[in-house]
Amino acid sequence: MNFAPATVHAVEALLLASPRPINEAELQAHLTGEHLDAILRELDTFWRGRGLAILRKDGSVAIGPSAEVLATFADLDKQKGRRLTEAAVQTLCYIAINQPVTQKNIESARGVVLFKGLIDSLMDAGFVRTSIRKTDSGRALTYVTTELFLEHFGLSALSDLPTQDELFELVGPLQASD
């Protein structure tokens, strides 16, 4: 489909200038007789060759780095040697499924005392942040995952994570170890 260049350029300018994703319904409301989906496909084709892509999530649209560019950045990060330990991954999984959680919750669930810098390393990586303090138990800090966690693992929302029941179905019955 061919659209009036002014219409395509207007949508492109709005997406480039906006500091956050734009609601697709609001954007469509400004287009008289034009199909937003087709315009976005045309823009995506144009920008893909330049390392950017049209990103759609939860009814909103933005222009951002393409998956290929993000993969390149991830490869560069890997070359820097930053990797999460097995304990950090287990802790991150527990936080994601049970958030908000305290350090004591994590230690009880994992059955070990956490290494002093483990949660700090998750926070430094940008996957975890502090949240509200508990009103009981000495006003302990709670931890939750971040938007970066969702983006890094390709999730659009926490509801994309399996529930505890679904996890047990995947793992099967737990066996007592001797």
Side-chain angles (χ1 to χ4, degrees), residues 71 73-83:
F73 286 138
D75 288 344
L76 292 174
D77 267 353
K78 286 178 188 171
Q79 291 172 7
K80 291 179 186 174
R82 181 170 195 130
R83 290 184 35 92

Side-chain angles (χ1 to χ4, degrees), residues 96-166:
I97 299 292
N98 298 288
Q99 62 188 305
V101 297
T102 65
Q103 182 170 339
K104 187 173 181 170
N105 296 142
I106 298 166
E107 290 174 341
S108 294
R110 291 195 57 228
V112 295
V113 174
L114 291 182
F115 169 70
K116 182 175 172 32
L118 188 114
I119 291 180
D120 290 339
S121 70
L122 292 173
M123 290 175 64
D124 289 345
F127 294 141
V128 172
R129 68 174 176 81
T130 58
S131 185
I132 59 172
R133 288 187 176 269
K134 288 272 193 176
T135 55
D136 58 350
S137 50
R139 299 191 31 84
L141 276 176
T142 60
Y143 299 96
V144 296
T145 56
T146 63
E147 280 293 316
L148 179 62
F149 165 80
L150 294 173
E151 290 171 19
H152 181 80
F153 291 99
L155 303 168
S156 59
L158 288 173
S159 59
D160 291 344
L161 290 169
T163 64
Q164 287 182 348
D165 291 337
E166 291 170 332

Side-chain angles (χ1 to χ4, degrees), residues 6-110:
T7 303
V8 176
H9 293 155
V11 171
E12 180 179 40
L14 284 170
L15 293 174
L16 287 169
S18 178
R20 61 186 52 88
I22 300 173
N23 182 285
E24 289 184 41
E26 291 174 14
L27 193 54
Q28 179 65 58
H30 294 288
L31 301 174
T32 53
E34 305 286 355
H35 296 285
L36 181 61
D37 285 337
I39 291 172
L40 293 176
R41 280 194 303 274
E42 187 173 314
L43 287 172
D44 191 54
T45 300
F46 174 80
W47 282 108
R48 285 253 173 219
R50 290 161 181 80
L52 296 174
I54 299 298
L55 307 171
R56 297 172 101 169
K57 179 179 173 185
D58 298 332
S60 294
V61 62
I63 292 180
S66 67
E68 295 82 13
V69 169
L70 291 175
T72 300
F73 286 138
D75 288 344
L76 292 174
D77 267 353
K78 286 178 188 171
Q79 291 172 7
K80 291 179 186 174
R82 181 170 195 130
R83 290 184 35 92
L84 294 177
T85 64
E86 185 176 331
V89 171
Q90 290 172 359
T91 301
L92 182 58
C93 290
Y94 182 81
I95 294 170
I97 299 292
N98 298 288
Q99 62 188 305
V101 297
T102 65
Q103 182 170 339
K104 187 173 181 170
N105 296 142
I106 298 166
E107 290 174 341
S108 294
R110 291 195 57 228

